[in-house]
Amino acid sequence: MELDEIKQAALKAINDAKNSDALTSVRNLFLSKKSEINQKMGELKNLAAEERKTFGQKINETRNAISKAFEEKLASINAQALDARLKNEKIDISLPANSYNKAGVNPLALVEEEITEIFLGMGYQVYEGSDVESDEYNFELMNIPKDHPAREMQDTFYLSDTMLLRTHTSPAQARAMKEARGGPVRIICPGKCYRRDNDDLTHSHQFMQIEGLLIDKGIHLGHLEKTLEAFVKKLFGEKREIRLRSSYFPFTEPSVEVDVSCDKCGGKGCPTCKGTGYIEILGAGVVNPRVLKLNGYDPKEYSGFAFGVGLERIAMLKYGIDDIRRFYQNDVRFLNEFKRR
């Protein structure tokens, strides 16, 4: 066949192709290595230079014309196939949507989110530690050496002589101080803690805690008081007040217990607050200089404050929950009473 005849035959076959498989067969027939067009290339060596140039150009033009027709036909077939698929897979938007039963959220998660948001707004960062800690970070670096009375109050579960389930999130504070290498720190440390303590309805062997730590130059008890006052008003409402009572913690000096005014009586005294007008919510204090020194700080140059909040206690006060065990019983009826904001 001459080139014009090959071209016409190829264009007709491409036009008659009904699907991509038929079109591929046409392409293999006219554009493969064994096609007549490629066989025509072998005739070039027998032609004179001028004829060879003219004939070669015509072969290229023929091949390009067939390739172009093939691509256009393939695009048309694919478009038709897509249209057919869209019609077959059409969604009836008038049908009712699937309904999902959104379960409630554990109030501990709600309280943790709210407290975290408050302190993030104050410029704090979240620092998370591990549930399994060493005796050194859990006790020693918090100024609780071996045989210290505080260890009896924080009896926990030991995995070995030196590894244990942490009794507070303070080990995360120690690790943050070590990483800061004697520089400023402003963090909150949320997480689970463990103690052998389940004597009544307000205590559990596992509990949630958020501790805060701020270390910088010139920090004193007044900074702590104003920080906690802002925190309490944001969490419980602008009308709530706080008071500080002297206390003792090995890792702070001076140490304070922080109370919030009772929302039931407005601070006048009632059965809920046992007639005092206030309810204890957390412990805090100025970081003990020995703790600073143990963790790489110069107490003459740096100072700071720390505080610890029990999430169960906050949730029980905020939502009127009477039994700490409710947080861990996975009772859907209980959880459905709480929704994320």
Side-chain angles (χ1 to χ4, degrees), residues 63-291:
R63 182 189 289 109
N64 292 338
I66 295 174
S67 296
K68 182 179 178 181
F70 171 82
E71 296 296 338
E72 291 176 350
K73 183 67 175 181
L74 180 62
S76 175
I77 290 175
N78 288 338
Q80 292 175 7
L82 179 60
D83 289 341
R85 181 180 176 185
L86 291 175
K87 290 180 181 178
N88 292 332
E89 296 180 359
K90 184 178 180 181
I91 299 174
D92 186 355
I93 61 175
S94 65
L95 292 174
N98 294 328
S99 60
Y100 297 94
N101 181 24
K102 292 185 178 181
V105 183
N106 194 300
L108 294 180
L110 295 177
V111 170
E112 181 180 354
E113 287 179 2
E114 188 171 1
I115 294 177
T116 299
E117 287 182 7
I118 292 172
F119 282 102
L120 286 176
M122 294 183 186
Y124 286 70
Q125 294 180 321
V126 177
Y127 189 101
E128 296 184 348
S130 172
D131 288 15
V132 177
E133 266 295 354
S134 67
D135 183 280
E136 177 188 12
Y137 278 90
N138 194 82
F139 291 124
E140 299 283 348
L141 294 178
M142 289 294 109
N143 195 32
I144 308 177
K146 289 179 174 59
D147 300 324
H148 193 287
R151 291 212 180 198
E152 184 177 353
M153 298 171 58
Q154 297 191 28
D155 192 15
T156 184
F157 304 89
Y158 284 82
L159 307 180
S160 69
D161 290 341
T162 59
M163 301 302 293
L164 49 85
L165 296 182
R166 66 182 180 184
T167 61
H168 44 191
T169 58
S170 299
Q173 295 185 4
R175 293 189 180 277
M177 285 189 279
K178 293 286 189 181
E179 292 177 9
R181 298 181 181 276
V185 172
R186 183 180 295 192
I187 59 169
I188 56 171
C189 308
K192 296 177 183 177
C193 304
Y194 307 86
R195 297 182 189 178
R196 294 183 60 187
D197 186 2
N198 58 351
D199 295 335
D200 56 46
L201 302 183
T202 62
H203 291 81
S204 170
H205 67 278
Q206 174 187 303
F207 58 96
M208 297 288 293
Q209 188 179 58
I210 289 185
E211 291 190 21
L213 174 69
L214 188 150
I215 296 178
D216 211 328
K217 296 179 179 179
I219 301 300
H220 52 73
L221 191 62
H223 293 117
L224 171 64
E225 181 182 14
K226 289 303 179 183
T227 297
L228 295 180
E229 183 179 39
F231 160 64
V232 166
K233 289 183 179 296
K234 191 70 175 178
L235 184 65
F236 292 108
E238 290 295 327
K239 294 183 179 180
R240 307 298 286 276
E241 301 293 337
I242 67 169
R243 72 176 183 183
L244 308 184
R245 292 181 291 108
S246 180
S247 185
Y248 168 76
F249 302 109
F251 30 81
T252 54
E253 181 60 39
S255 303
V256 294
E257 297 284 357
V258 182
D259 303 332
V260 61
S261 56
C262 179
D263 66 324
K264 300 294 184 182
C265 63
K268 297 178 181 179
C270 68
T272 300
C273 60
K274 299 179 181 180
T276 65
Y278 285 86
I279 300 173
E280 178 186 335
I281 59 168
L282 61 92
V286 174
V287 179
N288 192 310
R290 178 169 172 76
V291 172

